[in-house]
Amino acid sequence: MNDLVETWRCHLALDRRRSTHTVRAYVATAERLIAFLGEHRGEAITTELLGKIDQADLRAFLTARRMDGIGNVSAARELSAVRGFLKFTGGEEARVPLLKGPKVKRGLPRPVSPDEAVALAEDIAETAREKWIGARDWAVLLLLYGAGLRIGEAMGLLGDVLPLGETLHVTGKRGKARIVPLLPQVRSAIETYVATCPWPMERAAPLFRGTRGGPLSAAILRRAVQGARGRLGLSERTTPHALRHSFATHLLGRGADLRSLQELLGHASLSSTQIYTQVDAAHLLDVYRNAHPRA
C-alpha cells in the first residue's frame, strides 16, 4: 500500500500537476482511507480489496471523519479525494461507488474597497522594522491587488523577471502560465524593493526574500496583514487573497468582460470567474438600498 500511495502522489504531482497543498491533502486522505478500511474490515488492505469497496464502506468512512469534527466542505473534499484515488487504483474500468456528498454552499468572495487595500498596504509598509522589508511587503501587496496574483504566485516569482516590462509572466495552479499587465505603480513598487533589498537578485533565486535571504514565506505576509487589519479595524476576511478578489471585482465593476478577467486571473474554468458577477450585483444592491429614497 505504501508503494501504491507513493504512485498516487507522483500521479497527482506530475501527471495532474496539482499544487503541493492539494497533493499533500489527497495523499493524506488515501492513507486515512487505507487505515480505516484495515480496522473496518479487519483484514490487510490490497489493491483488489480497494476495487470492491461499496457505498456502505464509503459511508462508514465519512461517518468516522465526521466524528473527527470535519464540516461539510472538508467532507466533500474528502469524498472527492477518495473517488479520485479509487478510480486511479482501479484503472479506466474502475467502478467507484456512487455516494451523494454533503451540500456545500459556495460563499461569495469578500473584496475590500480600494481605500482599504491601499491603507492596508501602507500600514504594513510603515510598520516594518526595516525600510527594505516595508518596500518588499508593499510590492507584494500591490501585486495581489494591482495584478490579481495569488500569494503563492507572487512568492514563486524569480529574479529572471527582471528587468520589468509592461507585462509579467506568471505560473499559476497546475503549472498554467499566463501574462498579466503591470501597472506603473506596481512596477515602481517592485523596482524600489529591488533597489533596497540587501540580497543580490540572481535569476534563479526567489524575487522576494526573507530577512535571512531565503524565500519569503507566505505565512509572514499573512501575519503582517492580520496585524494591520487589527490596527485599522478591518474585517477578519481582509486577507492577502481578498486583495485578489478586490482586483477581480473592481475590474468587473469598471466594465471588464468575463473572458478577459478569466485570463487575467488564470482560472481554468469560466464558472470560477462568474462568481464575481454575483459579488458585483450584491454591491449594486447595497448601494441601491442605502441610497434610493424608496428602497
Side-chain angles (χ1 to χ4, degrees):
M1 286 296 99
N2 288 337
D3 291 340
L4 179 61
V5 171
E6 184 58 31
T7 304
W8 170 235
R9 183 197 306 275
C10 293
H11 169 70
L12 290 170
L14 302 178
D15 300 334
R16 300 298 302 277
R17 300 170 71 180
R18 298 288 190 177
S19 69
T20 303
H21 175 76
T22 300
V23 172
R24 183 169 57 249
Y26 275 39
V27 167
T29 296
E31 292 172 340
R32 281 193 292 267
L33 176 67
I34 293 170
F36 170 80
L37 290 175
E39 295 182 5
H40 183 65
R41 287 178 170 263
E43 57 183 303
I45 304 303
T46 63
T47 305
E48 182 180 0
L49 191 147
L50 286 175
K52 296 179 180 179
I53 287 180
D54 56 22
Q55 284 186 342
D57 292 321
L58 285 188
R59 193 173 290 110
F61 173 69
L62 286 182
T63 299
R65 293 293 291 135
R66 286 289 200 178
M67 292 178 67
D68 291 336
I70 66 172
N72 282 0
V73 174
S74 297
R77 188 184 301 117
E78 198 88 337
L79 182 58
S80 176
V82 166
R83 285 170 175 162
F85 178 61
L86 294 179
K87 189 171 183 179
F88 171 76
T89 58
E92 295 182 358
E93 298 180 359
R95 298 180 62 183
V96 180
L98 295 177
L99 185 65
K100 189 175 182 180
K103 292 183 178 180
V104 178
K105 184 179 179 180
R106 189 175 184 181
L108 293 178
R110 297 293 182 90
V112 298
S113 71
D115 289 342
E116 289 174 338
V118 173
L120 184 75
E122 287 179 342
D123 182 88
I124 292 174
E126 290 172 358
T127 56
R129 59 183 179 180
E130 294 185 44
K131 183 178 179 180
W132 78 269
I133 293 177
R136 177 200 67 190
D137 294 348
W138 172 263
V140 173
L141 292 173
L142 283 196
L143 267 175
L144 306 187
Y145 178 60
L149 268 62
R150 302 177 178 93
I151 189 170
E153 295 170 345
M155 299 298 100
L157 293 175
L158 301 178
D160 60 4
V161 301
L162 303 173
L164 297 171
E166 295 184 352
T167 59
L168 187 67
H169 185 277
V170 179
T171 301
K173 288 185 175 180
R174 304 189 190 181
K176 183 180 179 182
R178 71 184 189 277
I179 303 295
V180 297
L182 273 184
L183 295 172
Q185 298 92 326
V186 179
R187 186 165 61 250
S188 176
I190 298 175
E191 290 171 345
T192 299
Y193 154 69
V194 170
T196 57
C197 180
W199 309 103
M201 288 295 153
E202 301 170 352
R203 292 184 61 81
L207 175 64
F208 295 108
R209 306 291 190 89
T211 54
R212 296 183 179 180
L216 174 63
S217 169
I220 292 177
L221 196 67
R222 290 193 181 99
R223 284 198 295 269
V225 169
Q226 184 178 9
R229 76 185 181 212
R231 291 188 294 270
L232 297 172
L234 300 178
S235 165
E236 291 185 359
R237 291 182 176 270
T238 304
T239 63
H241 200 67
L243 297 177
R244 174 174 156 90
H245 291 323
S246 302
F247 167 83
T249 306
H250 299 161
L251 276 183
L252 192 63
R254 292 294 184 90
D257 64 272
L258 280 177
R259 283 295 181 187
S260 298
L261 193 57
Q262 179 188 3
E263 291 296 322
L264 289 173
L265 293 172
H267 285 160
S269 170
L270 186 62
S271 61
S272 299
T273 314
Q274 285 175 329
I275 192 170
Y276 291 107
T277 61
Q278 301 177 48
V279 176
D280 196 52
H283 171 70
L284 289 176
L285 283 174
D286 287 341
V287 172
Y288 170 78
R289 293 191 184 102
N290 292 330
H292 197 283
R294 295 185 179 276

